[in-house]
């Protein structure tokens, strides 16, 4: 299952769900958290379930982001939404995860609802790292539940939690060229290490200015270069760029095929070492090529 682009839509706006269902996003994430005003929180749960039950999602996995564990909305988000449409939800995004206990809370509540409702399908968890304690605990959070499939970067809340200077209206990675290098290198790399050591993937935060496709491309390329697997989108126009950046390019696929072909030939000829275009191919290169071809 590909998770290159995750289109995030506010849970209380049904007409956006319809557009999202028809989009090319790999995953649609229906939000009950920060894009939903407090006055709409209760209603949003029902609207999300109606959409999940009634729309044609074209086989797209649907995620739901609940409210932060421990606040007054989160337990009912889990109980009410999962009771009504839990069997059709691919994953729960858990925002502002600071400790493994936040994941345990969600995990056990899912067990309870699933047992009561006799739901047997698999449901994944995606803890979102949005503060310094969460980043410090990223390894423990990554292994907090067998349901975990990814760690998600929450850039706006993270910036605010560390007191980073505020350069753009959304805090989502724009207007950051003043910084010599990539401002989020350390955070994303730390998440990649914590996640990949436990076979999880990493999803980057969205890019706030959906009219700036060059900025989006650069932000996605930097993340992909660090081993990040996908990125949230906040507008359908961002999906094409994100899918392209997190897919292997034609050249990468061609090179990977050549590496595998050269390796297979060497094995057939009983040779140990292989060479391609004058360069030695080692085992790591073969593994990299295999990984690239798996993404097609
Ligand atoms: C997402 O939740 C963010 O804080 O950027
Ligand atoms: Mg956030």
């Amino acid at each position: 299952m590909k998770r290159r682009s995750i289109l995030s839509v506010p849970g209380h706006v049904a007409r956006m769900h319809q557009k999202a269902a028809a989009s090319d996003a790999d995953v649609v994430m229906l939000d009950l958290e920060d894009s939903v005003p407090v006055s709409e929180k209760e209603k949003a749960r029902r609207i999300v379930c109606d959409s999940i039950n009634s729309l044609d999602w074209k086989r797209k996995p649907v995620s739901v982001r609940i409210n932060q564990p421990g606040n007054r909305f989160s337990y009912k988000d889990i109980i009410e939404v999962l009771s009504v449409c839990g069997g059709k939800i691919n994953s729960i995004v858990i925002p502002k995860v600071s400790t493994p206990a936040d994941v345990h809370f969600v995990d056990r509540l899912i067990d309870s609802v699933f047992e009561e409702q006799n739901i047997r399908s698999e449901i994944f968890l995606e803890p979102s790292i949005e503060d310094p304690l969460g980043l410090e605990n990223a390894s423990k959070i990554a292994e907090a539940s067998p349901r975990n499939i990814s760690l998600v970067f929450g850039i706006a809340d993270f910036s605010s939690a560390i007191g980073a200077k505020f350069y753009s209206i959304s805090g989502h990675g724009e207007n950051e060229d003043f910084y010599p290098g990539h401002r989020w290198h350390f955070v994303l790399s730390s998440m990649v290490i914590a996640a990949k050591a436990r076979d999880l993937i990493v999803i980057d935060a969205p890019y706030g200015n959906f009219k700036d496709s060059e900025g989006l491309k650069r932000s996605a390329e930097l993340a992909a270069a660090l081993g990040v697997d996908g990125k949230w989108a906040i507008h359908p126009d961002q999906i094409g760029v994100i899918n392209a950046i997190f897919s292997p390019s034609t050249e990468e696929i061609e090179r990977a095929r050549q590496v595998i072909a050269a390796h297979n030939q060497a094995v057939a000829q009983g040779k140990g070492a292989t060479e391609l275009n004058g360069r030695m191919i080692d085992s790591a290169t073969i593994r990299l090529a295999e990984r690239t071809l798996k993404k097609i």
Side-chain angles (χ1 to χ4, degrees):
M1 181 193 309
K2 286 184 179 161
R3 283 188 120 82
R4 301 163 303 178
S5 53
I6 296 88
L7 179 59
S8 144
V9 281
H12 62 303
V13 191
R15 72 185 150 74
M16 292 176 82
H17 303 176
Q18 211 151 10
K19 273 196 181 166
S23 75
D24 286 332
D26 287 340
V27 180
V28 173
M29 197 279 289
L30 302 175
D31 188 25
L32 297 173
E33 203 219 10
D34 281 353
S35 65
V36 179
V38 168
S39 58
E40 303 294 304
K41 291 277 188 198
E42 313 274 340
K43 223 193 302 169
R45 294 183 194 128
R46 285 194 298 278
I47 298 173
V48 159
C49 286
D50 283 351
S51 293
I52 291 175
N53 280 330
S54 65
L55 292 178
D56 175 5
W57 293 95
K58 306 197 184 307
R59 305 168 71 88
K60 265 192 277 307
V62 178
S63 302
V64 173
R65 180 167 73 168
I66 57 168
N67 283 280
Q68 177 180 9
N71 84 358
R72 68 189 156 119
F73 299 112
S74 54
Y75 78 103
K76 280 197 190 159
D77 289 343
I78 301 169
I79 294 170
E80 288 183 17
V81 172
L82 293 192
S83 297
V84 177
C85 56
K88 295 182 181 166
I89 296 175
N90 175 262
S91 76
I92 297 283
V93 176
I94 319 172
K96 301 182 179 69
V97 174
S98 302
T99 69
D102 294 327
V103 178
H104 297 153
F105 160 76
V106 178
D107 207 19
R108 298 307 256 162
L109 209 44
I110 292 175
D111 288 340
S112 309
V113 179
F114 273 28
E115 186 185 315
E116 191 208 33
Q117 300 289 326
N118 202 18
I119 299 172
R120 298 184 185 281
S121 53
E122 196 167 33
I123 186 162
F124 299 116
L125 292 178
E126 305 192 73
S128 185
I129 305 296
E130 309 196 45
D131 69 9
L133 187 57
L135 189 64
E136 197 175 69
N137 283 330
S139 320
K140 290 186 225 149
I141 290 168
E143 61 195 21
S145 166
R147 289 191 168 113
N148 281 350
I149 42 160
S150 80
L151 293 181
V152 178
F153 181 34
I155 195 172
D157 278 298
F158 194 89
S159 302
S160 139
I162 61 171
K165 255 179 163 328
F166 183 53
Y167 283 93
S168 78
I169 195 72
S170 63
H172 282 96
E174 324 146 56
N175 298 332
E176 289 179 341
D177 286 347
F178 62 89
Y179 187 79
H182 177 203
R183 197 145 81 114
W184 305 109
H185 183 139
F186 176 76
V187 178
L188 286 175
S189 278
S190 304
M191 287 176 59
V192 165
I193 289 161
K196 302 281 161 119
R198 291 155 186 90
D199 249 345
L200 309 187
I201 61 168
V202 176
I203 305 295
D204 192 16
Y207 187 78
N209 183 353
F210 58 83
K211 294 198 171 131
D212 174 14
S213 67
E214 271 311 304
L216 167 67
K217 183 164 174 266
R218 187 174 149 69
S219 163
E221 272 171 353
L222 288 170
L226 296 175
V228 170
D229 303 275
K231 190 170 176 68
W232 278 13
I234 48 162
H235 192 282
D237 286 354
Q238 296 183 315
I239 294 167
V241 171
I242 295 177
N243 283 349
I245 301 292
F246 289 100
S247 304
S249 67
T250 321
E251 295 81 47
E252 283 173 298
I253 294 169
E254 183 52 28
R255 208 178 319 130
R257 289 200 170 124
Q258 285 175 1
V259 166
I260 301 294
H263 169 64
N264 288 344
Q265 196 179 18
V267 171
Q269 291 169 352
K271 286 195 214 156
T274 321
E275 178 193 334
L276 181 67
N277 303 331
R279 294 177 64 175
M280 293 305 292
I281 297 175
D282 59 10
S283 305
T285 311
I286 295 160
R287 282 195 293 274
L288 200 57
E290 284 169 348
R291 209 173 165 120
T292 300
L293 295 177
K294 260 200 210 153
K295 288 189 187 168
I296 302 176

